[in-house]
Amino acid sequence: MKHIYTGKTKDVYQLEEGNYLLKFKDDVTGEDGVFDPGSNQVGLTIEGAGRAGLSLTKYFFEKLNEKGIATHYVDANIKEATMTVKPAKVFGKGLEVICRFRAVGSFLRRYKSYAKEGQPLNAFVEVTLKDDELQDPPITKDALDMLGILSADEYEILKKLTQDICRIIKDDLASKGIELYDIKLEFGRSEKDDHIMLIDEISGGNMRAFKDGKYIEPLELEKLILS
């Protein structure tokens, strides 16, 4: 097993057979000790966050695989906080795809002259570059195409996949009395056939979810969904 990369919330290792191993950590994004799924820096450590994030990731990836949606997921070991995944190539130096059902977070900060906090959004999709130095700037479909990061046709595939995936997650949460406000996903191309597939994770660490109008912390969200 060869160490490849140390990330904010996961470490990545290459396995001998060609797959990769993701080691989930208890670090979560935020600022000044306050959790924020939209932040691009580690803000705090929450004991058990790694296993909780992996448990939800396993739950949702297996559900998506059953529905025929391509993901990089192979299997997971909750006790060891590890997940085995198929190799994938990211777009450019990495993209984040956000799907928004309500106006909160960076969307509200950018458009506060027009948007009201919490107002409904119809599965609005936006793409940002993974660039800590530039604070993950949003990028348009045309810019992605012109810069050779993602073709216009691939963008449309990515957008539809994002909305399909996020509506599945939203409906699953709704069945448990939980409302999904927004969620951040990542995609890549399969190294085997260049097919676009969902990568990274789906956990409380990359979504905002509320119950009875109250925000649910990542560890509590895992308990509510999987109990």
Side-chain angles (χ1 to χ4, degrees):
M1 189 167 69
K2 179 183 178 183
H3 179 258
I4 299 295
Y5 176 74
T6 297
K8 299 183 188 73
T9 60
K10 292 182 292 295
D11 292 334
V12 182
Y13 300 85
Q14 186 172 23
L15 301 173
E16 289 184 358
E17 74 273 16
N19 286 334
Y20 288 82
L21 188 78
L22 307 184
K23 173 70 175 178
F24 283 63
K25 301 189 286 190
D26 287 342
D27 296 334
V28 298
T29 55
E31 294 182 21
D32 301 322
V34 178
F35 168 71
D36 179 358
S39 177
N40 63 355
Q41 65 185 34
V42 173
L44 64 160
T45 298
I46 302 174
E47 185 177 354
R51 289 187 178 86
L54 177 58
S55 295
L56 277 184
T57 297
K58 178 178 184 292
Y59 172 79
F60 282 119
F61 270 103
E62 290 180 351
K63 182 178 289 288
L64 293 172
N65 284 350
E66 288 173 2
K67 292 181 179 293
I69 293 175
T71 78
H72 71 163
Y73 176 83
V74 177
D75 59 39
N77 184 323
I78 304 301
K79 183 178 179 180
E80 299 294 331
T82 59
M83 181 169 73
T84 304
V85 300
K86 292 175 281 190
K89 299 171 287 187
V90 299
F91 298 102
K93 296 180 181 179
L95 300 176
E96 293 181 343
V97 187
I98 300 99
C99 187
R100 302 183 184 277
F101 295 98
R102 288 194 178 271
V104 291
S106 61
F107 180 93
L108 184 64
R109 291 193 293 271
R110 275 183 272 131
Y111 307 121
K112 61 184 178 181
S113 296
Y114 301 91
K116 294 181 179 179
E117 183 173 4
Q119 78 175 65
L121 301 173
N122 186 22
F124 173 72
V125 173
E126 61 182 345
V127 179
T128 69
L129 298 177
K130 289 190 71 172
D131 190 320
D132 291 347
E133 185 178 346
L134 297 178
Q135 300 293 308
D136 297 343
I139 185 167
T140 65
K141 171 185 175 180
D142 287 346
L144 286 164
D145 188 21
M146 291 176 187
L147 295 173
I149 299 171
L150 187 74
S151 73
D153 288 342
E154 286 178 321
Y155 178 91
E156 293 302 327
I157 293 171
L158 197 72
K159 179 180 176 180
K160 185 178 187 306
L161 266 175
T162 297
Q163 290 176 328
D164 289 347
I165 289 167
C166 292
R167 286 187 173 115
I168 290 170
I169 296 169
K170 187 177 189 294
D171 289 346
D172 188 86
L173 267 60
S175 71
K176 300 170 176 65
I178 301 167
E179 184 179 357
L180 179 65
Y181 275 34
D182 62 17
I183 183 169
K184 178 174 61 180
L185 304 176
E186 293 189 33
F187 293 85
R189 295 186 183 94
S190 166
E191 287 193 358
K192 182 179 180 181
D193 57 11
D194 270 352
H195 189 79
I196 295 177
M197 61 183 181
L198 182 68
I199 63 173
D200 196 46
E201 65 179 276
I202 302 175
S203 70
N206 60 3
M207 68 175 77
R208 290 185 183 91
F210 287 70
K211 187 176 178 65
D212 300 324
K214 183 180 178 182
Y215 170 72
I216 309 169
E217 295 287 347
L219 267 67
E220 181 63 22
L221 183 63
E222 183 255 349
K223 293 176 184 175
L224 289 173
I225 295 175
L226 300 183
S227 60

